Amino acid sequence: MAKIKTKKYEFDKKEIEVNFNCSSSGVFSTNLPRAIQEKLGLDIQIVGNSLKEIEGILDQAFLDYKNARTSYRLLIAICFGANGDFTKNQDNTYNLCFDKEGGRYKLNGFFYDMPCIGIDYSVIIEENRDGRIYYHSTIPKGTLACFNNSVTIGNYVSTGGSNYMAKKYKLIEFSEAALKNLNSIKEQLRRASAFLIELLTNNQIEALLSSENLKLLNK
């Protein structure tokens, strides 16, 4: 497969180069990076019977992308999962909420051989480009130097794009109150983890566990 032409395009406020190739059998093609292919709505490899054909496909795709109506909004992406005893109610019955939304909050698989619980969340930016949705991870504004194509909303700046959020994470509208409450929940779990590891590694564990005054450490 020989390269016969290189063409420059504008994409997300920066210039990129696309190589066009031709095989010994006369098949023309080009390969796009996944990040670009996803946003243009094209296959990673584009094949045609002529250079003009595949150039025309790319020219139109880049033009449509550039002219698309685009909006952005700030979201919080929440990932939570539990299994075993952590999926039960106070009366030891199974909490049916774990079966909702396709059961994505239940931790299953070979690696979860004991009851466990986990939570993760982050502030992201949703990009809507003519109905195509993309998600961008963020950092607080002023943390690091921004990329030329970064998007800024409030105190957050985008750092990249991915579509994995939609299935794995629960997406909610961003608010400072919601973020504060999630931080509080995460802190409670961190404190419980710190308490347990200090308890289990303490030489006086038997005496501590037998004490009627055992309380969660405030640290």
Side-chain angles (χ1 to χ4, degrees):
M1 186 74 70
K3 181 174 72 174
I4 58 173
K5 183 177 181 179
T6 298
K7 190 170 182 177
K8 295 180 179 180
Y9 291 95
E10 182 184 339
F11 182 77
D12 281 347
K13 300 180 182 179
K14 60 184 178 181
E15 189 176 77
I16 66 166
E17 291 186 348
V18 176
N19 295 323
F20 295 89
N21 311 302
C22 184
S23 69
S24 58
S25 58
V27 177
F28 294 84
S29 66
T30 185
N31 295 292
L32 296 172
R34 183 172 296 278
I36 296 176
Q37 165 258 327
E38 288 179 347
K39 286 198 169 186
L40 295 183
L42 299 174
D43 293 330
I44 290 180
Q45 184 178 61
I46 302 170
V47 179
N49 295 317
S50 68
L51 177 61
K52 183 178 179 180
E53 179 184 351
I54 58 175
E55 270 193 286
I57 293 172
L58 277 186
D59 290 350
Q60 189 62 52
F62 276 106
L63 181 62
D64 290 345
Y65 181 79
K66 183 178 179 180
N67 295 332
R69 290 178 297 177
T70 307
S71 62
Y72 301 92
R73 63 173 179 154
L74 209 56
L75 302 175
I76 300 177
I78 307 168
C79 184
F80 169 76
N83 67 0
D85 288 344
F86 293 111
T87 63
K88 294 180 180 180
N89 296 308
Q90 193 169 2
D91 61 1
N92 208 39
T93 60
Y94 177 68
N95 189 329
L96 296 177
C97 287
F98 282 93
D99 289 333
K100 295 181 178 180
E101 300 184 29
R104 63 177 173 179
Y105 302 115
K106 289 192 295 186
L107 296 179
N108 297 309
F110 175 78
F111 295 104
Y112 304 113
D113 58 352
M114 61 182 293
C116 55
I117 185 172
I119 185 172
D120 187 28
Y121 55 90
S122 58
V123 178
I124 65 170
I125 291 176
E126 179 189 81
E127 175 185 354
N128 186 327
R129 188 176 288 266
D130 275 352
R132 289 180 180 168
I133 305 297
Y134 308 96
Y135 298 105
H136 302 267
S137 55
T138 70
I139 55 175
K141 187 165 59 176
T143 304
L144 296 171
C146 299
F147 300 103
N148 291 333
N149 59 335
S150 294
V151 176
T152 300
I153 301 180
N155 294 319
Y156 296 90
V157 181
S158 65
T159 60
S162 175
N163 275 317
Y164 77 95
M165 299 278 186
K167 293 182 179 179
K168 185 177 179 181
Y169 286 74
K170 177 79 171 184
L171 305 181
I172 65 171
E173 290 283 349
F174 173 86
S175 72
E176 292 291 348
L179 188 61
K180 180 180 179 181
N181 286 327
L182 284 168
N183 288 339
S184 176
I185 293 169
K186 188 174 183 179
E187 175 60 16
Q188 291 178 59
L189 290 175
R190 187 204 65 78
R191 288 175 55 198
S193 175
F195 171 76
L196 283 169
I197 192 61
E198 289 194 21
L199 177 65
L200 294 173
T201 56
N202 193 300
N203 292 332
Q204 304 298 319
I205 181 174
E206 291 87 353
L208 290 170
L209 281 176
S210 300
S211 172
E212 295 182 357
N213 297 318
L214 184 65
K215 295 182 179 179
L216 187 64
L217 299 179
N218 185 23
K219 59 168 61 180

